């Protein structure tokens, strides 16, 4: 029997303060395989109109982000699906679907966060909401966003896969960049992870087998699983359509993902084999070449006259 | 007054013997700006079905390529447009529209070939038709393809912009790779260019101003111009969606393009300002990230069940 599954397209860009996220979401939805059983619903997002976002109480575009979160929530509640696929947009798009799924599945939802970053803490001075969706879902993020999560996830039901712990050399480069940019984490990610007892594994640990993840699923008794995928978990040399591989604006304040595409596919397939996957969110897709090509095509006279 | 302009989508892959060209063409057409005055027509192309192409008299997929060339020709003749935009596909898609335009404009069409390669000669042992579309249009390419060009272009009306002349070191690497792969050009590109008297300029020469091109347009009395764009003219560090930047199969038998995106846009705009652009073909678009992501999405269980 087909279970009720919806797809959400949420071209949210305010969480990363970068309008390119909107196009990334649209391309992602276009690339996805057709599936007549999965209607595609559009979450209303205020398009970028040239006005810079306001920094409201430490978050750029806070009002818009909260409104959009509520729109996503209403849309989901109107359909009450059993499974949700989310096409983002910045990472913060994950909050509405995963909060709903956790409530639906009795507060026992498992969540695998496939990401080079933990997304648990606020980075003061960076002030973009996409640094803390996982924090919000666990009830320790931004107060106004946490209030929208009726049933916070249990930390023991969360696993961060592909987390990149910077090398000593990377740490030095990042610290210098942070200092120059006036950025600092409200609390160190690693300390939050330890305090909450969240399980993690780097991409390297997961190369040969996924036993550590399967064991976590078994031991935690996870029956329903949501998967978050931030494409920056991938090695930017293998997959360049991500924040940290912008050819015209290199970033040096974040460690690079190291996961390879075949490894990611294996992970997604095996998770589906050992548990019931009820949620999938794909985020932070920034297809630089297509963005640049679209811009170029939009200015070539013969195409526009 | 609006002049009759058609857009052609020709997802031809046989000319490069690489099925990924088909998706590259479709994405290109999707990225192009909407224009109600420019109907998009699909040139029938035999989709890749897993069967390897046959090498027929020194060209992989010769029969299919000839059939598809004729289909494009018929479609154009049925519409008799004043201007054509072509979304490829491998470089060989350019033959039908540019041959038609040259005939339409009295054999006096100007053609600027924006490409890191001259596309003038056959590479024996490589045997892919996309190495010689310009040769065909000039009447010196493959016999069967040349026969389909009613009025060959005049060499003095052709300019190759962004042509990459390999450095000494690159020449050495390429020669070694060619030797290993058993490839050799039927005649050296540079000799053909010299023999025919075709004007060329590298991307570096065109950095500060485009006087050399404008002077060519003036001196040749070009009134109607077609523009061929092979995206491999671009620096693969700036634009990775091209043959020579496949993250999982690096190529070392071709020099890399060096043109930057702003320079390309300036070139396209200035050409439109100084002459009447009646044709534009964009070819060899291979968006590796989107290709890989589409493949991944096509195998994720929750999206496909």
């Amino acid at each position: 029997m087909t279970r009720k599954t919806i797809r959400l397209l949420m071209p949210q860009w305010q969480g990363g303060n970068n309008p390119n996220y909107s196009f990334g979401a649209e391309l992602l939805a276009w690339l996805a395989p057709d599936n007549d059983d999965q209607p595609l619903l559009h979450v209303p997002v205020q398009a970028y109109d040239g006005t810079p976002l306001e920094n409201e109480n430490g978050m750029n575009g806070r009002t818009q982000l909260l409104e959009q979160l509520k729109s996503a929530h209403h849309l989901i509640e109107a359909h009450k699906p059993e499974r949700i696929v989310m096409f983002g947009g910045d990472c913060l798009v994950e909050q509405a679907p995963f909060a709903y799924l956790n409530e639906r599945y009795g507060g026992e939802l498992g969540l695998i966060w496939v990401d080079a970053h933990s997304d648990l803490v606020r980075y003061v001075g960076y002030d973009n909401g996409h640094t803390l969706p996982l924090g919000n879902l666990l009830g320790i993020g931004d107060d106004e966003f946490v209030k929208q999560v009726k049933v916070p996830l249990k930390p023991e039901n969360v696993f961060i896969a592909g987390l990149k712990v910077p090398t000593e050399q990377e740490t030095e480069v990042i610290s210098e960049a942070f200092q120059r940019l006036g950025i600092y984490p409200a609390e160190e990610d690693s300390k939050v992870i330890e305090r909450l007892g969240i399980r993690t594994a780097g991409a390297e640990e997961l190369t040969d087998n996924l036993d550590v993840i399967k064991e976590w699923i078994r031991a935690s008794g996870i029956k329903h699983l949501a998967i978050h995928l931030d494409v920056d978990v991938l090695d930017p040399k293998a997959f360049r359509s991500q924040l940290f591989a912008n050819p015209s604006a290199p970033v040096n304040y974040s460690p690079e993902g190291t996961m390879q595409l075949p490894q990611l596919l294996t992970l997604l397939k095996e998770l589906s084999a050992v548990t019931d996957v009820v949620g999938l969110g794909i985020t932070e897709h920034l297809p630089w070449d297509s963005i640049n090509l679209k811009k170029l095509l939009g200015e070539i006279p013969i195409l526009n006259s």
Side-chain angles (χ1 to χ4, degrees), chain A:
Chain A
M1 207 195 65
T2 308
R3 286 188 297 164
K4 185 168 178 179
T5 307
I6 61 169
R7 295 183 181 187
L8 296 174
L9 168 56
M10 189 164 177
Q12 181 169 278
W13 58 274
Q14 292 90 347
N17 200 3
N18 183 340
N20 289 314
Y21 282 111
S22 298
F23 175 75
E26 279 158 31
L27 177 54
L28 189 59
W30 188 72
L31 292 173
D34 290 335
N35 191 327
D36 291 340
D37 293 328
Q38 301 184 354
L40 179 69
L41 310 173
H42 294 246
V43 181
V45 164
Q46 197 170 315
Y48 178 64
D49 65 0
T51 320
L53 294 179
E54 210 176 313
N55 188 324
E56 304 165 73
N57 189 21
M59 191 183 294
N60 295 312
R62 175 184 291 273
T63 305
Q64 290 173 36
L65 287 166
L66 276 167
E67 270 171 22
Q68 290 163 191
L69 171 63
K70 286 173 195 169
S71 294
H73 182 73
H74 288 147
L75 207 53
I76 295 168
E77 281 297 338
H79 286 80
K80 295 203 188 312
E82 292 164 272
R83 309 192 303 178
I84 303 177
V85 174
M86 168 59 89
F87 299 123
D90 67 71
C91 268
L92 205 54
V93 301
E94 304 287 45
Q95 179 167 338
F98 294 168
Y100 163 86
L101 289 170
N102 191 42
E103 199 187 334
R104 173 163 188 120
Y105 294 106
E108 297 294 340
L109 183 73
L111 174 59
I112 185 152
W113 202 257
V114 185
D115 201 313
H117 306 89
S118 71
D119 296 352
L120 279 170
V121 300
R122 180 194 301 278
Y123 279 75
V124 181
Y126 178 66
D127 296 334
N128 289 324
H130 70 158
T131 68
L132 72 176
L134 184 53
N136 295 341
L137 285 162
L138 288 164
I140 60 157
D142 180 276
D143 284 351
E144 285 190 90
F145 284 78
V146 165
K147 261 188 226 155
Q148 303 297 323
V149 179
K150 272 200 211 152
V151 185
L153 274 90
K154 296 181 180 172
E156 62 268 31
N157 283 358
V158 174
F159 193 112
I160 306 175
L163 183 68
K164 184 67 170 70
V165 178
T167 61
E168 221 167 288
Q169 206 190 337
E170 286 169 330
T171 303
E172 210 168 298
V173 174
I174 294 165
S175 301
E176 271 173 38
F178 272 16
Q179 214 158 4
R180 206 174 48 251
L181 298 163
I183 297 173
Y184 62 94
E187 190 182 353
E188 288 295 337
D189 294 52
S190 54
K191 286 197 187 137
V192 181
I193 290 169
E194 206 188 317
R195 178 159 57 79
L196 297 177
I198 292 174
R199 306 288 306 272
T200 71
E204 291 66 23
E205 258 180 275
L206 302 172
T207 305
D208 293 330
N209 66 67
L210 301 170
D211 291 352
V212 57
I213 292 175
K214 291 180 189 167
E215 175 52 24
W216 160 72
I217 289 172
R218 205 197 51 73
S220 315
I222 287 166
K223 293 202 171 51
H224 305 286
L225 183 77
I227 303 172
H228 156 74
L229 170 61
D230 179 327
V231 296
D232 81 10
V233 78
L234 291 165
D235 175 358
K237 288 183 291 298
F239 187 81
R240 203 182 192 182
S241 298
Q242 52 164 297
L243 184 57
F244 305 108
N246 183 349
S248 56
V251 162
N252 68 348
Y253 53 79
S254 169
E256 292 185 347
T258 56
M259 200 177 276
Q260 302 301 315
L261 278 156
Q263 189 186 4
L264 174 60
L265 181 58
T266 302
L267 172 63
L268 297 173
K269 279 184 163 174
E270 292 208 13
L271 287 173
S272 305
V274 297
T275 183
D276 180 28
V277 174
V278 293
L280 170 70
I282 308 179
T283 64
E284 302 276 324
H285 180 224
L286 289 166
W288 300 114
D289 286 348
S290 286
I291 289 165
N292 290 327
L293 188 53
K294 188 179 170 71
K295 206 175 293 175
L296 180 87
L297 296 171
E299 296 199 46
I300 298 177
I302 191 176
L303 283 166
N304 296 282
S305 64

